[in-house]
Amino acid sequence: MADESDTGAPEDTAEGSPEHAAEGSPDGAEAGRADEAADTAAPSDSAPVDALSPAVPPQPPAPRRGPHPALIPVMAIGTALVLVVTGSALFANAGASDLLAKPGTAASAGSGTSAGPSATPAPTRTEITTDELRALAGTQTDALKRGDVDGFLAPYDPAATDLIAERRRLFANLRLVPFTQAQYRWERLYTGSLSGKDAGRLTADVVVAFVHQVTGVDAEPVAEQYIWTVERPAMGAPLRITGVRGTPGRSGSYPLAWDLAPLVKAERPHVVMLAGSADANKIAGWADRAENAAKRDLDLWKGPSGVPTRFLVFASPDPELFAKAYGGTMPKGTVAFCAPMAADSSDTRGRVIVGSRITWDTRSKGIKNTEEQTGVLRHEMGHALVAGFMASAPGQPDVPLWIVEGFAEYLEWVDRFGQYYVPAARDFVASDGFTGKLPGDSELYGEDAEANGIGYHLSMTAIRYLVDKYGAEKAFAFVVAAYRNPRDPDKALQETTGLDLATFESRWAKWVKSHV
């Protein structure tokens, strides 16, 4: 987890080598780029507009939020699995400038010939067409790729000064990130109607996805969903965006780091580190620690191929910003979390999770020196390594937390076995409270931070026992098998070790008592 109960080391204020300039800072901003996006087709228009529900798209089984996540250290943020239909409609629209200057209506004014029985009647009410919405999203994609901030801001209502300032900030942030793909895509109507009752003002809320793939971090494109408020003041007037917000309940992965604050960036071979611009003088040190964590975790990995080669980390000492990034009520003691990102496309070789976003509170109590911070990052990167093996079958339960957190804790502590057991865990094992049972989920994600810490350490010993007795390759194979089939950890154990769960638990309990 990355919880505060584990450590109490003195603070180390060194922040890394000064020669690493943070991109996005006044000293050395080198904008990233959004590479050429693959063409995708827009959703079907066949459903009657007024019949569309204001609900977010259906969600597949995903790691639960709150006190019982199945994928991440202290939470698993639910992400909507947005299906994308491939094609080429996004960039096949007419010129966006023409559509904005000469907005479409329900019917054209005719060909200029004398009206006859077959002539199309003149429009009498304000309309917003789906072609216009596709083109509007396309203007955002094209401007982002070109690095054209004025073009990016052009569709927004000039009177909405706060919105324009926020969008300008977002544009600068996105230009820092190394994207393999980055595009905006109109999805569907959210609330309201695209057809007015008269020739007056027409406003609607529509869902727009920011489909993106961070190079080396995401195996496939993922989608962050926004709700745009679009408005046409009157029939024939230009279409404008007057508001932007995230979809409710984090169902569309909102917010991500680039939505929260002005950012700076530091890249390393295995890390893309983002931080608030106020921390430009600290980000190099944080990135160095993250790179050390990433290299060690990748060196230790003995599981199947297909794991990420880079990690995206947002670091902040600001508790308010950290809480916003979490997007909900954080469990007590949260110091970092790893949010799984659902695949945007259904064609991902059976994978439902294809990337992760790590967020780290750099000021967490007791986790301020270099060693402890590196350990927290190794833990979160451990979650990111195995996230892609999560089962995709409907109705799948969460992976038992003793496996989820035990594996991440093993990576965090494997090089520090001299300090392996916190005193509270040692005292618990020696007491009558230890029943010899593997920790239940509530013993890791409960309200008592110290009890949670004990649960984490006992879970870690279960993975450590597997490594000691059967080797890292079999231990990691067990973890992967449990992610792929969380319904039956017993079967995963038998396939990798030959033990059933009850026998494993009994032998582990004896090992713990003799080693703690």
Side-chain angles (χ1 to χ4, degrees):
M1 152 162 135
D3 91 274
E4 295 177 348
S5 62
D6 293 355
T7 61
E11 181 174 359
D12 177 5
T13 57
E15 294 299 344
S17 306
E19 65 267 23
H20 296 295
E23 295 189 40
S25 67
D27 294 337
E30 178 184 347
R33 63 185 178 84
D35 291 338
E36 188 70 26
D39 292 341
T40 57
S44 170
D45 307 337
S46 59
V49 168
D50 290 327
L52 292 174
S53 166
V56 296
Q59 298 184 49
R64 292 200 293 268
R65 299 177 63 240
H68 185 119
L71 252 178
I72 60 181
V74 292
M75 73 165 282
I77 298 175
T79 50
L81 180 60
V82 183
L83 299 181
V84 58
V85 182
T86 58
S88 58
L90 181 60
F91 297 107
N93 297 313
S97 58
D98 293 339
L99 285 169
L100 291 174
K102 303 174 183 178
T105 54
S108 67
S111 62
T113 60
S114 59
S118 62
T120 303
T124 59
R125 59 183 182 175
T126 306
E127 298 272 338
I128 299 171
T129 70
T130 55
D131 281 345
E132 288 180 287
L133 293 170
R134 295 187 187 100
L136 196 61
T139 65
Q140 300 288 273
T141 298
D142 295 342
L144 183 60
K145 286 193 292 185
R146 293 193 310 268
D148 178 5
V149 65
D150 291 335
F152 190 80
L153 297 176
Y156 293 91
D157 181 359
T161 54
D162 289 346
L163 175 62
I164 287 180
E166 184 273 325
R167 295 285 95 183
R168 186 183 298 275
R169 183 190 73 196
L170 175 69
F171 178 88
N173 288 345
L174 292 177
R175 291 287 296 172
L176 291 173
V177 181
F179 291 116
T180 299
Q181 174 178 335
Q183 68 179 68
Y184 286 87
R185 184 184 67 214
W186 176 75
E187 297 278 276
R188 64 185 183 86
L189 183 67
Y190 186 70
T191 58
S193 174
L194 300 182
S195 180
K197 296 180 179 179
D198 52 34
R201 183 183 304 274
L202 177 61
T203 301
D205 286 345
V206 298
V207 177
V208 175
F210 177 53
V211 181
H212 61 279
Q213 183 177 3
V214 181
T215 305
V217 176
D218 302 322
E220 300 286 344
V222 301
E224 178 187 17
Q225 289 189 326
Y226 297 90
I227 297 172
W228 286 0
T229 301
V230 294
E231 178 183 283
R232 173 157 281 143
M235 189 174 69
L239 182 64
R240 296 296 181 202
I241 305 170
T242 61
V244 178
R245 65 187 189 274
T247 51
R250 286 212 64 134
S251 59
S253 302
Y254 176 93
L256 296 176
W258 42 70
D259 300 302
L260 299 173
L263 299 178
V264 291
K265 177 191 71 173
E267 288 195 59
R268 301 292 183 266
H270 302 95
V271 171
V272 179
M273 175 70 71
L274 301 175
S277 58
D279 297 309
N281 64 328
K282 300 176 182 178
I283 190 173
W286 294 339
D288 289 341
R289 292 170 199 181
E291 176 66 13
N292 289 336
K295 287 195 296 186
R296 184 60 177 139
D297 275 5
L298 289 169
D299 286 344
L300 287 167
W301 178 250
K302 303 300 181 185
S305 60
V307 297
T309 58
R310 295 187 102 190
F311 303 91
L312 181 64
V313 182
F314 173 50
S316 177
D318 182 341
E320 183 176 345
L321 205 58
F322 182 72
K324 286 181 179 179
Y326 192 95
T329 303
M330 286 188 296
K332 187 178 296 184
T334 302
V335 301
F337 60 90
C338 175
M341 299 295 294
D344 177 61
S345 172
S346 59
D347 183 19
T348 55
R349 298 178 298 279
R351 296 182 66 172
V352 62
I353 301 299
V354 294
S356 298
R357 305 288 181 263
I358 294 171
T359 304
W360 168 38
D361 179 0
T362 63
R363 273 194 189 173
S364 302
K365 179 182 177 183
I367 307 181
K368 293 183 179 179
N369 72 16
T370 300
E371 184 181 37
E372 298 301 335
Q373 289 186 344
T374 302
V376 167
L377 291 165
R378 285 179 62 172
H379 180 114
E380 303 309 324
M381 291 171 182
H383 288 301
L385 280 172
V386 294
F389 298 110
M390 177 187 170
S392 58
Q396 283 283 13
D398 290 338
V399 183
L401 287 183
W402 71 266
I403 301 172
V404 173
E405 297 299 350
F407 175 74
E409 285 283 276
Y410 170 78
L411 291 178
E412 177 177 349
W413 285 86
V414 66
D415 294 329
R416 296 187 290 157
F417 284 125
Q419 312 166 22
Y420 196 81
Y421 306 105
V422 294
R426 182 183 296 113
D427 293 344
F428 179 76
V429 171
S431 73
D432 294 334
F434 180 60
T435 63
K437 298 295 183 182
L438 291 161
D441 288 357
S442 63
E443 296 174 89
L444 284 86
Y445 287 0
E447 293 298 319
D448 186 329
E450 181 175 293
N452 292 344
I454 293 171
Y456 269 68
H457 277 265
L458 290 178
S459 299
M460 172 180 58
T461 64
I463 305 301
R464 174 64 180 176
Y465 171 74
L466 284 172
V467 173
D468 279 2
K469 296 298 182 182
Y470 300 96
E473 187 171 341
K474 286 190 175 182
F476 285 27
F478 160 70
V479 172
V480 170
Y483 268 73
R484 287 173 169 165
N485 182 17
R487 292 184 185 277
D488 199 351
D490 196 327
K491 181 179 179 182
L493 267 174
Q494 290 186 27
E495 289 177 347
T496 53
T497 68
L499 302 179
D500 59 36
L501 184 59
T503 303
F504 165 77
E505 188 173 53
S506 174
R507 294 182 182 182
W508 160 76
K510 292 178 181 178
W511 183 89
V512 167
K513 289 180 178 180
S514 65
H515 282 73
V516 173

